[in-house]
mmCIF file of all heavy atoms in Angstrom:
data_model
loop_
_atom_site.group_PDB
_atom_site.id
_atom_site.type_symbol
_atom_site.label_atom_id
_atom_site.label_comp_id
_atom_site.label_asym_id
_atom_site.label_seq_id
_atom_site.Cartn_x
_atom_site.Cartn_y
_atom_site.Cartn_z
ATOM 1 N N LEU A 131 28.071 -9.381 -35.197
ATOM 2 C CA LEU A 131 27.958 -8.617 -33.957
ATOM 3 C C LEU A 131 26.888 -7.531 -34.103
ATOM 4 O O LEU A 131 26.073 -7.316 -33.196
ATOM 5 C CB LEU A 131 29.301 -7.985 -33.594
ATOM 6 C CG LEU A 131 29.285 -7.043 -32.375
ATOM 7 C CD1 LEU A 131 28.875 -7.790 -31.112
ATOM 8 C CD2 LEU A 131 30.661 -6.385 -32.191
ATOM 9 N N LYS A 132 26.893 -6.858 -35.240
ATOM 10 C CA LYS A 132 25.891 -5.809 -35.469
ATOM 11 C C LYS A 132 24.483 -6.400 -35.478
ATOM 12 O O LYS A 132 23.547 -5.846 -34.879
ATOM 13 C CB LYS A 132 26.174 -5.088 -36.787
ATOM 14 C CG LYS A 132 27.482 -4.307 -36.821
ATOM 15 C CD LYS A 132 27.696 -3.670 -38.178
ATOM 16 C CE LYS A 132 28.886 -2.740 -38.184
ATOM 17 N NZ LYS A 132 30.164 -3.417 -37.918
ATOM 18 N N LEU A 133 24.319 -7.520 -36.179
ATOM 19 C CA LEU A 133 22.997 -8.153 -36.221
ATOM 20 C C LEU A 133 22.573 -8.649 -34.842
ATOM 21 O O LEU A 133 21.395 -8.539 -34.465
ATOM 22 C CB LEU A 133 23.011 -9.312 -37.224
ATOM 23 C CG LEU A 133 23.105 -8.927 -38.702
ATOM 24 C CD1 LEU A 133 23.227 -10.180 -39.568
ATOM 25 C CD2 LEU A 133 21.881 -8.113 -39.127
ATOM 26 N N SER A 134 23.531 -9.189 -34.080
ATOM 27 C CA SER A 134 23.203 -9.673 -32.738
ATOM 28 C C SER A 134 22.736 -8.530 -31.842
ATOM 29 O O SER A 134 21.781 -8.676 -31.059
ATOM 30 C CB SER A 134 24.419 -10.365 -32.110
ATOM 31 O OG SER A 134 24.789 -11.511 -32.855
ATOM 32 N N ALA A 135 23.410 -7.376 -31.940
ATOM 33 C CA ALA A 135 22.986 -6.211 -31.158
ATOM 34 C C ALA A 135 21.591 -5.757 -31.582
ATOM 35 O O ALA A 135 20.759 -5.387 -30.745
ATOM 36 C CB ALA A 135 23.998 -5.076 -31.323
ATOM 37 N N LEU A 136 21.322 -5.792 -32.882
ATOM 38 C CA LEU A 136 19.996 -5.400 -33.371
ATOM 39 C C LEU A 136 18.924 -6.365 -32.870
ATOM 40 O O LEU A 136 17.864 -5.937 -32.380
ATOM 41 C CB LEU A 136 20.008 -5.363 -34.902
ATOM 42 C CG LEU A 136 18.655 -5.065 -35.575
ATOM 43 C CD1 LEU A 136 18.165 -3.671 -35.192
ATOM 44 C CD2 LEU A 136 18.776 -5.205 -37.090
ATOM 45 N N PHE A 137 19.195 -7.672 -32.988
ATOM 46 C CA PHE A 137 18.211 -8.668 -32.541
ATOM 47 C C PHE A 137 17.977 -8.571 -31.029
ATOM 48 O O PHE A 137 16.838 -8.706 -30.554
ATOM 49 C CB PHE A 137 18.686 -10.076 -32.915
ATOM 50 C CG PHE A 137 18.765 -10.319 -34.394
ATOM 51 C CD1 PHE A 137 19.712 -11.185 -34.935
ATOM 52 C CD2 PHE A 137 17.904 -9.679 -35.265
ATOM 53 C CE1 PHE A 137 19.788 -11.411 -36.292
ATOM 54 C CE2 PHE A 137 17.975 -9.902 -36.640
ATOM 55 C CZ PHE A 137 18.919 -10.764 -37.153
ATOM 56 N N THR A 138 19.044 -8.334 -30.261
ATOM 57 C CA THR A 138 18.900 -8.184 -28.813
ATOM 58 C C THR A 138 18.007 -6.992 -28.475
ATOM 59 O O THR A 138 17.113 -7.081 -27.617
ATOM 60 C CB THR A 138 20.275 -8.002 -28.159
ATOM 61 O OG1 THR A 138 21.087 -9.147 -28.448
ATOM 62 C CG2 THR A 138 20.142 -7.846 -26.650
ATOM 63 N N GLY A 139 18.240 -5.872 -29.151
ATOM 64 C CA GLY A 139 17.424 -4.694 -28.917
ATOM 65 C C GLY A 139 15.959 -4.927 -29.252
ATOM 66 O O GLY A 139 15.061 -4.488 -28.521
ATOM 67 N N ILE A 140 15.695 -5.635 -30.356
ATOM 68 C CA ILE A 140 14.306 -5.908 -30.752
ATOM 69 C C ILE A 140 13.613 -6.793 -29.713
ATOM 70 O O ILE A 140 12.467 -6.543 -29.323
ATOM 71 C CB ILE A 140 14.266 -6.567 -32.147
ATOM 72 C CG1 ILE A 140 14.705 -5.563 -33.217
ATOM 73 C CG2 ILE A 140 12.861 -7.087 -32.454
ATOM 74 C CD1 ILE A 140 14.834 -6.176 -34.604
ATOM 75 N N ILE A 141 14.300 -7.846 -29.255
ATOM 76 C CA ILE A 141 13.700 -8.761 -28.277
ATOM 77 C C ILE A 141 13.379 -8.034 -26.973
ATOM 78 O O ILE A 141 12.282 -8.172 -26.413
ATOM 79 C CB ILE A 141 14.634 -9.961 -28.035
ATOM 80 C CG1 ILE A 141 14.665 -10.869 -29.273
ATOM 81 C CG2 ILE A 141 14.182 -10.762 -26.813
ATOM 82 C CD1 ILE A 141 15.656 -12.011 -29.171
ATOM 83 N N ILE A 142 14.325 -7.232 -26.476
ATOM 84 C CA ILE A 142 14.075 -6.504 -25.219
ATOM 85 C C ILE A 142 12.963 -5.477 -25.413
ATOM 86 O O ILE A 142 12.092 -5.313 -24.550
ATOM 87 C CB ILE A 142 15.369 -5.829 -24.728
ATOM 88 C CG1 ILE A 142 16.415 -6.895 -24.365
ATOM 89 C CG2 ILE A 142 15.087 -4.934 -23.524
ATOM 90 C CD1 ILE A 142 17.746 -6.320 -23.920
ATOM 91 N N PHE A 143 12.976 -4.787 -26.560
ATOM 92 C CA PHE A 143 11.930 -3.788 -26.832
ATOM 93 C C PHE A 143 10.543 -4.430 -26.839
ATOM 94 O O PHE A 143 9.587 -3.882 -26.274
ATOM 95 C CB PHE A 143 12.209 -3.106 -28.169
ATOM 96 C CG PHE A 143 11.140 -2.141 -28.593
ATOM 97 C CD1 PHE A 143 11.091 -0.868 -28.060
ATOM 98 C CD2 PHE A 143 10.185 -2.514 -29.521
ATOM 99 C CE1 PHE A 143 10.094 0.024 -28.442
ATOM 100 C CE2 PHE A 143 9.189 -1.635 -29.908
ATOM 101 C CZ PHE A 143 9.150 -0.362 -29.369
ATOM 102 N N GLN A 144 10.422 -5.583 -27.479
ATOM 103 C CA GLN A 144 9.131 -6.259 -27.521
ATOM 104 C C GLN A 144 8.743 -6.809 -26.150
ATOM 105 O O GLN A 144 7.568 -6.797 -25.779
ATOM 106 C CB GLN A 144 9.168 -7.399 -28.553
ATOM 107 C CG GLN A 144 9.368 -6.938 -29.990
ATOM 108 C CD GLN A 144 8.242 -6.046 -30.471
ATOM 109 O OE1 GLN A 144 7.098 -6.173 -30.042
ATOM 110 N NE2 GLN A 144 8.548 -5.126 -31.375
ATOM 111 N N TRP A 145 9.723 -7.256 -25.406
ATOM 112 C CA TRP A 145 9.402 -7.842 -24.097
ATOM 113 C C TRP A 145 8.904 -6.788 -23.117
ATOM 114 O O TRP A 145 7.939 -7.031 -22.384
ATOM 115 C CB TRP A 145 10.625 -8.552 -23.522
ATOM 116 C CG TRP A 145 10.277 -9.385 -22.324
ATOM 117 C CD1 TRP A 145 9.891 -10.690 -22.309
ATOM 118 C CD2 TRP A 145 10.252 -8.949 -20.958
ATOM 119 N NE1 TRP A 145 9.625 -11.097 -21.025
ATOM 120 C CE2 TRP A 145 9.833 -10.055 -20.172
ATOM 121 C CE3 TRP A 145 10.542 -7.749 -20.321
ATOM 122 C CZ2 TRP A 145 9.707 -9.975 -18.796
ATOM 123 C CZ3 TRP A 145 10.407 -7.669 -18.940
ATOM 124 C CH2 TRP A 145 9.995 -8.777 -18.188
ATOM 125 N N ILE A 146 9.538 -5.626 -23.074
ATOM 126 C CA ILE A 146 9.155 -4.618 -22.079
ATOM 127 C C ILE A 146 7.793 -4.009 -22.391
ATOM 128 O O ILE A 146 7.220 -3.311 -21.538
ATOM 129 C CB ILE A 146 10.204 -3.488 -21.967
ATOM 130 C CG1 ILE A 146 10.294 -2.707 -23.282
ATOM 131 C CG2 ILE A 146 11.545 -4.041 -21.543
ATOM 132 C CD1 ILE A 146 11.221 -1.512 -23.202
#
Side-chain angles (χ1 to χ4, degrees):
L131 175 62
K132 295 178 172 63
L133 290 175
S134 297
L136 176 63
F137 295 149
T138 301
I140 292 174
I141 290 175
I142 295 178
F143 176 80
Q144 296 298 330
W145 191 90
I146 64 175

